[in-house]
Amino acid sequence: MDVIELAVKRMEDWAADNTHGYDQQYRWGERGDFDCSSAVISAWELAGVPVKTGGASYTGNMRGVFLRCGFKDVTGDVNLVNGSGLERGDVMLNYEHHTAMYCGAGQEVEASINEKGGATGGMPGDQTGREFLVRPYRNYPWDCVLRYAGEKTGSRPGPVYEYSIKLGLLQEGMEDPQVRTLQRLLAAGGYEPGEADGIMGSRTVEAVKKFQTDKGLLSDGEVGGETWTKLLRE
């Protein structure tokens, strides 16, 4: 799986997991929440594109940092009114207010607004199902569209704890959006966990055990802190 797909899947998985909501105060995942820019920045950073490391921190400085990290400005190739010309993984940016990522099929994924209709003061997690969501494309309006054109493969930075993103213990039989993230990371490393269905079945457990053995970890098939850290460093 290339870095574009890793970044989009990261956003989609966060949107599907209601432990991740919207907040502008605790915006880097300290309590599971993000705001629009920290979500997009974190997704690309964890996919291996060092935009956060490079200084991206809010919508106002994203364009310059993203361009230095292998993105190109493709605004002229896109019809912003209807989204024609957008490709999966494109970053849509309004310099002052908002950013989102295009998923394909006329959909975008974004951290949007908390359950109070504001930016701060909400409870951790997604209380409404619309704090962090996949939604139909709309022109926010966007000032520019950025498309990743750099190396399609590469090492992911890490450990995940540098970004305060909460990843829990995964055990056989569990069904959880984080299992889907695990399966995609294993597949990207060639460990063949089967379909990314979010279910910790026997094939996924065997893939985890093989990964753990290869990395010198206890091969118990459970995914805790050490295994997550190794996965996100590979």
Side-chain angles (χ1 to χ4, degrees), residues 98-120:
H98 194 47
T99 185
M101 197 181 301
Y102 187 68
C103 305
Q107 302 288 303
E108 64 188 56
V109 58
E110 63 192 46
S112 180
I113 197 167
N114 71 18
E115 74 272 20
K116 297 177 177 292
T120 60

Side-chain angles (χ1 to χ4, degrees), residues 4-182:
I4 296 174
E5 190 64 14
L6 284 169
V8 181
K9 290 295 187 184
R10 177 78 63 173
M11 289 281 286
E12 290 173 333
D13 285 348
W14 284 335
D17 180 354
N18 285 338
T19 64
H20 301 297
Y22 183 94
D23 192 70
Q24 274 190 2
Q25 181 177 3
Y26 300 99
R27 58 190 293 260
W28 294 104
E30 298 95 327
R31 305 189 304 174
D33 291 351
F34 299 90
D35 69 2
C36 64
S37 57
S38 67
V40 172
I41 292 164
S42 295
W44 283 102
E45 181 88 9
L46 289 170
V49 183
V51 288
K52 185 173 188 290
T53 304
S57 58
Y58 75 111
T59 56
N61 65 16
M62 282 176 61
R63 183 179 183 276
V65 175
F66 274 53
L67 291 176
R68 291 193 296 272
C69 289
F71 286 77
K72 61 180 180 179
D73 190 326
V74 296
T75 312
D77 299 328
V78 173
N79 183 330
L80 293 177
V81 174
N82 59 25
S84 175
L86 285 168
E87 296 182 4
R88 185 167 168 83
D90 284 354
V91 174
M92 302 166 296
L93 180 63
N94 177 291
Y95 301 138
E96 292 189 14
H97 299 296
H98 194 47
T99 185
M101 197 181 301
Y102 187 68
C103 305
Q107 302 288 303
E108 64 188 56
V109 58
E110 63 192 46
S112 180
I113 197 167
N114 71 18
E115 74 272 20
K116 297 177 177 292
T120 60
M123 295 291 292
D126 192 342
Q127 277 70 52
T128 64
R130 297 189 62 80
E131 293 187 47
F132 202 138
L133 77 161
V134 175
R135 58 172 296 160
Y137 171 81
R138 91 286 197 210
N139 185 11
Y140 180 77
W142 307 118
D143 294 315
C144 73
V145 177
L146 304 174
R147 179 172 299 160
Y148 185 66
E151 292 293 327
K152 293 298 190 292
T153 59
S155 60
R156 288 179 290 278
V160 70
Y161 307 109
E162 291 179 8
Y163 309 101
S164 301
I165 296 165
K166 298 179 180 179
L167 293 171
L169 176 66
L170 302 180
Q171 299 172 306
E172 186 168 8
M174 291 179 64
E175 184 171 354
D176 189 280
Q178 290 185 0
V179 176
R180 191 178 300 111
T181 298
L182 165 69

